[in-house]
Every structure is written in C-alpha cells, then in structure tokens.
C-alpha cells in the first residue's frame, strides 16, 4: 500500500532553480533591453499610436528613457506613464503571463518574464518605483526586492511586497539595482560595455528614435542608426506591404530590400576586412524592435536548399522584413528577442519572398564581374535614401546585364629560379613586377612572337 502522504510526487518549482534558468541564456545587454522595451510600450500607449509600419507618423518626442550605469549600481528611469497599482498587484510581477492577462497592444513583450529576469540578472538589491495617474491624481508605490531574503523565505510564497512611496518627478518607472552580480560588475567596469550598449540601442531602436523617442545613456542622448537603401539610375529598392490574418488577428508585414552599398570589387575580403562591422544581410523587426541584425546565416535562408551560403561577394545587400501585430505572440520572437523563431507560421510564410529578393542580388553580383568598370559607374549614380522615403515597389530593380559567353580558360603553372624571373622582370622595365604579371607578360610576348595576332 502507498501511504496517503506519498500519493503525490512534488513537482513544484523552486525559486532558486527558476531564477537560474530564466537568467542563464540572456546577456546583460539584452536584460537592459527588456527594461527599455517596457518603457517604450508605455510611450506608444500614451502617444496613442502603434508601430504598424514605416508610414506611422506617431510623435514620441515627449518621452525619455534614461540609463545610468556605475561600477556598483544600475538605474533606468522613464516618463512613460508608470505601472498602475492594479497591474503591479495582479500582473506585472508574476513569473509568466497569466491566461486572463489583457493583451498589450503592439507590445514587444510576450512571455511575462522580462522585468523579473532583467533585475535578477543584474543584482540582488532591487527597488522598483512607479508614479502613475489615477482619476486625475498622481499615485505612487515601490516594490523593494532583496533577492537573498526572497530566496531564503521558502518556495511556498513567491509574492513581493508593495509599499507606499513618494512621487517620482514624472509619471513613469524608476528601477534601481545595487549589490550587482559579479557578471554585471565586470561588465560595468568596462568602457567597452557602455560603448557597445550605445551602438546596439542606436541600431535596434532606430525606428523608435526616428520618431523622436529619447534614450540616453550616462546622460548623453543616442542618435538612431540611419537605415538607408540606394536608389537612382538602374537601382530601385523594393518595398512591399502585406496584411495577413492569423488566429483571428491581423499581422502586418513589410519587406524592403536592395543595395545599401556597392558590392566589393574583389569577391575575396582583404586582410583588414571586418565581418563584424559589415551591415549587409537581413534584418528582422518585430513591433518596431530589430530582433535580428545583418544576418547571413540559415536563420534568414543563407545556406539552405536552393540558396547559397553567404559570401563576401554579396556585401552591399540589405533586406528588412517588418512584422507588426496587436498580439506579439503571433510574431517570430524568441524569449531573448535576439533572434527569430524559425518555426513561426508567419515567418515561414514570408521566407520564400526573402529568398526571391536575395537571389536577384546574387545574380547581379555574379554578372557584375563581366562589366565591373561599367557597373561601378552605374552604382555611383544611386544615392542613399532613408527607408522611410522608399516608394512602394513590389520587386527590386537592378541593372540588367547580358551574360557574356564564357571562354574556356586554362591555368599555367611553372617554376623557375627566382634570379631568372627577376632578370626577366627587369627586362620588362620593372624589377618589382609581381610574379603573376611576369608570367602573363611573358606569355603574351611569346604568343605574339610565335602565333601572331588572334
């Protein structure tokens, strides 16, 4: 007989395990971005707009997000409306989104773990303050979290205390984290971390910054990355818009693609070529946030069936696919918002369109080799324009180059004493002539002498 108290296997989670798991596979930078995302959602709601498409004219210039990083302290604050007491008590601090939680319109958050994961990753002494408006008046509260005490209190209760608090200077949220984790301390001590954080914000929030949103780090506002494609002459980028219905909800999709920069004149990268600084590739944007940037992997199709692997020859191509929906769970987001979910139905549906556009550029760079000088002249005519100014066009337009018939070629390889080769180079008038050039020159000389003109 099984005793009555042994008829259930305990499957309850432990706090320690949960904290370790939700913070394990996310970077400090992405944790900070989770907090920025929450502020941006508030700004859009107050402004009365949605990040539907590039045509959206919502003005976000009234809203500011400030990030301050010190060796032993992190703080983020905003004036984006704050968290209400009802939301704090019922939804904002739960681990995971409740089934009855109201969908936040056009939010970037899906799973309901962003804020908790971020602060646990950063440190163990956390103070979250909110000032918001209720019935025309200001109200405030704070949620202090001492992670060590919370873990030590046992796994029976997971709640956090909500306390009275003085008003913040503006209606918004202020999150302060001290007693930093070792990983946070080491990162915050490095000027490189701050520099990389600013660059990532400038890129990933470029669409929000373009609409006037202010994000400052260490008191200095960040200028958004100017996303541009080239047009003019024989070059016209594509810009196509689509509307799909999934699970009863609309999903808006916009694709832009074309030449962001002329392709390299040498398909093999030089010694100083930095692939990390190469902005070519595919960009995926979900509800206004770039979640995948300059991708050249199988995630966006490169190296999959019927699609070649990325090669430096294709440098200069930029493709952007924008997904927007009231329900963020319909978008191809991952929990870290740093990649795409390849199994997403809407993403799979539009991968074929991404492939078609990419193939156009691949074909152009292949045939371009035959008329390189002419191609360079044509490319110089095309000028960079912001993606917001690109006209609607269903297909990318690139120069039509008639492929010349290939002449069979043969490689000639032989070895001679270096002194003899240098003597021959000297006879040609340049003792420093490259070995390859000496070989070609001597072949042309012999051909003309023995065979004559073709």
């Amino acid at each position: 007989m099984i005793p009555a108290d042994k008829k259930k296997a305990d499957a309850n989670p432990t706090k320690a395990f949960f904290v370790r798991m939700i913070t394990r596979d996310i970077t400090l930078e992405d944790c900070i971005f989770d907090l920025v995302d929450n502020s941006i959602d508030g700004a859009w709601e107050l402004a009365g707009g949605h990040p539907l498409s590039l045509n959206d004219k919502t003005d976000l210039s009234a809203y500011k997000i400030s990030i301050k990083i010190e060796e032993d302290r992190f703080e983020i604050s905003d004036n984006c409306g704050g968290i209400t007491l009802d939301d704090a008590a019922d939804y904002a601090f739960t681990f995971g989104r409740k089934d009855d939680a109201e969908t936040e319109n056009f939010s970037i958050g899906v799973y309901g773990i962003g804020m908790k994961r971020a602060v646990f990753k950063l440190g163990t002494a956390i103070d979250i303050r909110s000032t918001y408006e209720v019935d025309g008046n200001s109200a405030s509260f704070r949620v202090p979290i001492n992670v060590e005490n919370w873990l030590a209190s046992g796994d029976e209760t997971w709640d956090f205390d909500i306390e009275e608090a003085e008003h913040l200077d503006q209606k918004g949220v202020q999150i302060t984290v001290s007693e930093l984790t070792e990983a946070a301390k080491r990162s915050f001590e490095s000027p490189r971390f701050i520099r990389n954080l600013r660059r990532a914000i400038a890129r990933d929030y470029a669409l929000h910054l373009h609409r006037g949103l202010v994000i400052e780090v260490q008191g200095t506002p960040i200028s958004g990355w100017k996303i541009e494609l080239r047009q003019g002459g024989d070059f016209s980028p594509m810009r196509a818009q689509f509307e799909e219905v999934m699970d009863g909800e609309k999903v808006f999709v916009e694709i832009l693609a074309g030449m962001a920069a002329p392709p390299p004149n040498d398909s093999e990268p030089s010694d100083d070529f930095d692939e990390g600084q190469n902005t070519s590739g595919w960009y995926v944007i979900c509800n206004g946030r770039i979640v995948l940037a300059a991708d050249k992997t199988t995630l966006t199709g490169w190296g999959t069936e019927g699609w070649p692997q990325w090669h430096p020859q294709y440098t200069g191509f930029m493709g952007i696919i924008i997904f927007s929906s009231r329900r963020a769970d319909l978008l191809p987001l991952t929990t870290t918002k740093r990649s795409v979910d390849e199994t997403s139905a809407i993403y799979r549906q539009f991968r074929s369109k991404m492939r078609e556009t990419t193939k156009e550029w691949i074909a152009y760079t292949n045939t371009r080799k035959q008329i390189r000088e002419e191609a360079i002249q044509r490319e110089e005519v095309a000028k960079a324009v912001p993606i917001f100014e690109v006209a609607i066009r269903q297909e990318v337009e690139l120069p039509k180059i008639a492929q010349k018939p290939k002449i069979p070629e043969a490689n000639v390889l032989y070895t001679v004493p270096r002194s003899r080769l240098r003597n021959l180079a000297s006879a040609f008038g340049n003792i420093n002539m490259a070995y390859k050039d000496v070989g070609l020159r001597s072949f042309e000389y012999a051909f003309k002498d023995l065979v004559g003109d073709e």
Side-chain angles (χ1 to χ4, degrees), residues 200-379:
I201 290 173
R203 181 194 67 195
D204 292 359
Y205 296 102
L207 302 190
H208 303 296
L209 294 169
H210 172 80
R211 293 181 172 94
L213 178 71
V214 177
I215 303 178
E216 61 179 30
V217 175
Q218 311 299 65
T220 303
I222 295 172
S223 298
W225 176 43
K226 293 181 179 179
I227 311 175
E228 298 175 324
L229 292 169
R230 297 197 176 213
Q231 67 179 26
D234 297 325
F235 294 86
S236 293
M238 74 168 288
R239 182 179 176 185
Q241 298 174 330
F242 309 88
E243 183 178 306
E244 302 294 328
V245 176
M246 306 191 70
D247 198 17
E249 291 281 348
K250 292 180 180 179
V251 179
F252 304 92
V253 183
E254 193 164 0
I255 302 178
L256 299 95
M259 181 174 70
N265 292 322
D266 189 343
S267 62
E268 295 301 327
S270 61
D271 291 339
D272 59 357
F273 182 82
D274 185 355
E275 187 64 54
Q277 298 298 317
N278 182 1
T279 57
S280 302
W282 273 101
Y283 292 73
V284 180
I285 300 175
C286 292
N287 278 354
R289 156 97 112 89
I290 294 178
V291 298
L292 189 65
D295 188 75
K296 307 170 183 69
T297 72
T298 56
L299 275 176
T300 50
W302 300 99
T304 58
E305 186 176 356
W307 202 335
Q309 289 186 341
W310 173 265
H311 188 279
Q313 171 185 315
Y314 309 141
T315 297
F317 169 82
M318 181 183 289
I320 304 161
I321 184 163
I322 304 170
F323 297 95
S324 303
S325 178
R326 188 184 74 88
R327 278 179 48 189
D329 62 300
L330 297 178
L331 307 183
L333 284 163
T334 63
T335 60
T336 61
K337 306 173 204 170
R338 183 53 69 200
S339 187
V340 294
D341 177 7
E342 293 181 273
T343 67
S344 161
I346 192 70
Y347 188 67
R348 292 200 314 269
Q349 180 177 338
F350 281 89
R351 266 269 291 264
S352 60
K353 293 188 181 296
M354 296 165 65
R355 179 195 304 251
E356 292 166 10
T357 305
T358 306
K359 283 187 171 182
E360 291 289 327
W361 181 258
I362 292 169
Y364 170 67
T365 59
N366 284 333
T367 55
R368 178 184 183 272
K369 301 172 187 176
Q370 301 178 12
I371 57 162
R372 185 165 294 159
E373 296 303 319
E374 180 185 339
I376 291 172
Q377 292 177 1
R378 293 188 187 187
E379 290 157 4

